[in-house]
Amino acid sequence: MTDDLRIRRGGPGDAGSVLRLFDVAIAWLTTRGRTGQWGTAPASTDPARIAQAQAWASGGDLHLALLDDDVVGALVVGTATDYVPPPIEPELYVNLLLTDRAHAGLGIGARLLAYAEELARDRGLGLLRVDCYAGDDRALVGFYERCGFTPTDRFTVTRPGRPPWPGQVLARRVG
């Protein structure tokens, strides 16, 4: 992990940074034949993804990781999405976690998750949950487990004209 990493709240002008991180991640996954998570098309060309990034950037719960002045990660927290089982207690939900693959291995994702835990603690919440793509080799599930999350519910999102999307909810107690 790098000590040079800082985290700041995002704002309406940061939607482009979120889309760039998506594009980098999608390209990286595509070169490895792992297209089940987000497909192959850049997020910056998808009207639905553009609208989502703009909503996150304007919603007040976007947080960006920076090295120098470069955005190298994004975190969005809030409430659980409709396709996962509802929480059994008050929680903070990780709606998005993205990191720049050019800085892989620096612990940016883990640091953003630690920051999400700080946000939950500051809000008096004892539970942090996240969901992720659980297809292929479940590598993303393994990442969250290494960050202290425990798998809970599995789910499948059906999408018209596209293959089903296998998902995994994971939870971590806020200490």
Side-chain angles (χ1 to χ4, degrees):
M1 194 175 302
T2 178
D3 292 333
D4 298 331
L5 187 74
R6 64 184 176 88
I7 298 174
R8 72 163 173 85
R9 183 175 294 275
D14 292 313
S17 293
V18 173
L19 291 168
R20 183 190 63 77
L21 290 170
F22 262 119
D23 287 353
V24 167
I26 291 168
W28 184 84
L29 289 166
T30 299
T31 62
R32 284 151 182 80
R34 301 178 67 169
T35 60
Q37 184 171 348
W38 289 320
T40 60
S44 59
T45 64
D46 178 350
R49 192 63 80 184
I50 293 167
Q52 186 178 46
Q54 290 170 339
W56 282 330
S58 298
D61 280 319
L62 169 65
H63 306 271
L64 300 173
L66 294 97
L67 286 174
D68 297 320
D69 290 327
D70 298 326
V71 174
V72 296
L75 168 74
V76 176
V77 295
T79 58
T81 53
D82 294 340
Y83 53 80
V84 302
I88 57 172
E89 66 182 87
E91 69 173 358
L92 187 62
Y93 202 85
V94 175
N95 301 108
L96 176 71
L97 179 69
L98 279 172
T99 62
D100 190 331
R101 297 305 307 169
H103 300 281
L106 295 180
I108 295 166
R111 176 62 186 101
L112 283 167
L113 290 171
Y115 184 76
E117 183 173 342
E118 292 171 28
L119 292 171
R121 188 178 306 107
D122 291 348
R123 297 175 188 189
L125 302 170
L127 182 64
L128 184 63
R129 284 196 314 158
V130 64
D131 71 81
C132 69
Y133 178 68
D136 300 321
D137 58 4
R138 294 179 54 87
L140 193 51
V141 174
F143 163 77
Y144 284 108
E145 288 177 315
R146 289 187 301 279
C147 290
F149 285 82
T150 301
T152 59
D153 302 291
R154 287 182 140 185
F155 63 93
T156 301
V157 176
T158 55
R159 307 172 298 174
R162 295 171 55 192
W165 192 88
Q168 175 74 61
V169 178
L170 299 101
R172 181 166 103 182
R173 301 299 315 165
V174 174

